[in-house]
Amino acid sequence: MNLQELISSAEAQFDRLIALLFPGVSPEYLRLAGALLLGLAALVLLLIGLRLLRRPGHRNAHSTRTGIPRTLQQKGVVVDVLAGPDDESVAVRCVITAAKSNKIQCEIIERLDVIRTRPGNELVCVFAPMKTRDGRINSFTATLVESDRDGRRTDRLVLAGPNDYALIPRRKHQRKRVADQQFIRVKLWTASPGTSELAFEDAAPQVGVNSFASDGPDQSANAVINISGGGLGLSVLNRLVPETCTVSTPVVINLFMFNFREKTFKPYWYAGEVRTLEEGRPGFTRMGIEFTATARADQNSGRLHWINL
């Protein structure tokens, strides 16, 4: 049997099958309906193919995400640069002044700490959250090419293109502003509880808020700006900031907070470090302090026993 006979035999068997399945319907009509169905299926497949071609693939999504530094530059978004890979504190704040696929140039606008990442290593840049096709992000990692200390300019950072993007928590502790200063009192000493021989329980503090301090009544102008489980912010008269107080200076804090249920002030002891010293309102310095340890007073001796946080 030749090829033509095979085709004719297949057509005859197909016609018999159609006659059994659809009795009373002519084969010509069924062939026309089949052709229409095949044409409709081909049109659907064509539309699906066009949609897949228009849908951005991995390369396009990657290109969009690497364009984020340029978006941050165009919008003038402030970017926080973390101090190091294992240090989540903000070292500097900057704005992106130039963004290319393999180079990001940043101008430093505020210094809060020292960048501990060395050129050739990755650092983390954090910014206000933004939406992308892959979800919300607020940070990217990039290799440091030139730092403010090792580069050609002290007010500039040069980074390579972003290596990765992520959404990271900005704060571990929620800050609360202190609206009424009469319900909080602070005593502060620039000293380390581990090495200082000062008897903090009885000593007059160097800085006080609503507390008697060594510099007398002028301390009443000081105030607590905010407080959280991880630290507090103070507004201190410039001339009352101890001369030895700089970023990373250890401090001891006696914090009295009013307990409304018991109608009394309850004392809390903290050790910490000065994280920021910024210019505040005219004549004042904003002092940011991070808690590193807490203490409880021994009921018998009154001495403090410190526990690291």
Side-chain angles (χ1 to χ4, degrees), residues 67-139:
I68 287 174
R70 186 171 290 109
T71 301
L72 298 175
Q73 174 195 358
Q74 294 170 350
K75 293 183 177 181
V77 176
V78 175
V79 178
D80 291 347
V81 179
L82 302 190
D86 300 321
D87 191 339
E88 297 180 355
S89 61
V90 177
V92 298
R93 290 192 169 100
C94 60
V95 291
I96 297 175
T97 55
K100 298 180 181 179
S101 60
N102 59 350
K103 183 178 180 181
I104 303 172
Q105 188 170 293
C106 306
E107 181 179 346
I108 297 173
I109 59 175
E110 185 178 6
R111 295 181 184 274
L112 306 176
D113 202 343
V114 177
I115 298 177
R116 299 176 179 85
T117 301
R118 308 301 299 172
N121 296 324
E122 287 189 345
L123 50 69
V124 179
C125 299
V126 186
F127 46 88
M130 59 190 303
K131 292 182 179 180
T132 70
R133 292 189 179 95
D134 297 327
R136 289 171 61 82
I137 61 171
N138 70 344
S139 67

Side-chain angles (χ1 to χ4, degrees), residues 50-68 70 132-134 165:
L50 291 174
R51 186 178 182 85
L52 291 175
L53 288 175
R54 289 185 176 183
R55 186 178 179 180
H58 177 75
R59 181 181 301 176
N60 290 338
H62 182 71
S63 176
T64 300
R65 290 173 72 86
T66 54
I68 287 174
R70 186 171 290 109
T132 70
R133 292 189 179 95
D134 297 327
Y165 291 87

Side-chain angles (χ1 to χ4, degrees), residues 150-164:
D150 302 321
R152 288 169 288 182
R153 287 174 47 182
T154 59
D155 62 345
R156 188 178 70 180
L157 301 175
V158 179
L159 316 176
N163 299 324
D164 192 21

